[in-house]
Amino acid sequence: MSMITTYAAGALAGLVYGFLVGFIKYVCLWKSTIKSDKKITSGNLYARMGISWIANFAALLLVFLLRNLLPFSFAAVLLAAAVGLSLSGKMAPMGEIVSHVKEKDS
């Protein structure tokens, strides 16, 4: 494989991986919140955001740990996975999620 093909294939694999992890994270963390009529606490929201951050970190750590096994350029896969995770996070409807947070009783 030529160098450009290796980088392009690595970038494509990283994007697919990042979007897949981001989609799974959305389904597990946020979809049930949007579909339900129940309000969540701000603490619950922050806990889910923390879990989301840990999932992103774990996904990128997995790419790092498997760097010697990847048939592609490690840098391209890692960078594209980070972009895929970031873009999939931006596609989540955070406005709807935040609207489900219940206000504190004064």
Side-chain angles (χ1 to χ4, degrees):
M1 250 197 244
S2 73
M3 188 69 112
I4 293 175
T5 307
T6 302
Y7 280 109
L12 182 62
L15 275 174
V16 169
Y17 173 70
F19 276 119
L20 182 65
V21 170
F23 177 74
I24 291 170
K25 199 173 59 165
Y26 167 74
V27 168
C28 292
L29 291 175
W30 304 116
K31 193 168 184 176
S32 62
T33 302
I34 293 171
K35 294 239 181 219
S36 77
D37 291 335
K38 293 194 297 186
K39 298 283 187 179
I40 62 171
T41 63
S42 58
N44 191 334
L45 177 71
Y46 290 133
R48 289 177 189 222
M49 288 175 152
I51 292 168
S52 177
W53 185 87
I54 290 169
N56 286 347
F57 182 79
L60 295 176
L61 181 65
L62 183 64
V63 172
F64 176 76
L65 293 175
L66 296 177
R67 69 187 179 277
N68 294 328
L69 301 175
L70 294 172
F72 314 116
S73 167
F74 160 69
V77 173
L78 186 66
L79 183 62
V83 169
L85 284 168
S86 178
L87 291 177
S88 66
K90 299 292 181 205
M91 291 180 193
M94 288 306 289
E96 285 185 50
I97 293 167
V98 171
S99 71
H100 282 80
V101 175
K102 63 176 148 173
E103 309 234 348
K104 270 190 170 180
D105 294 332
S106 298

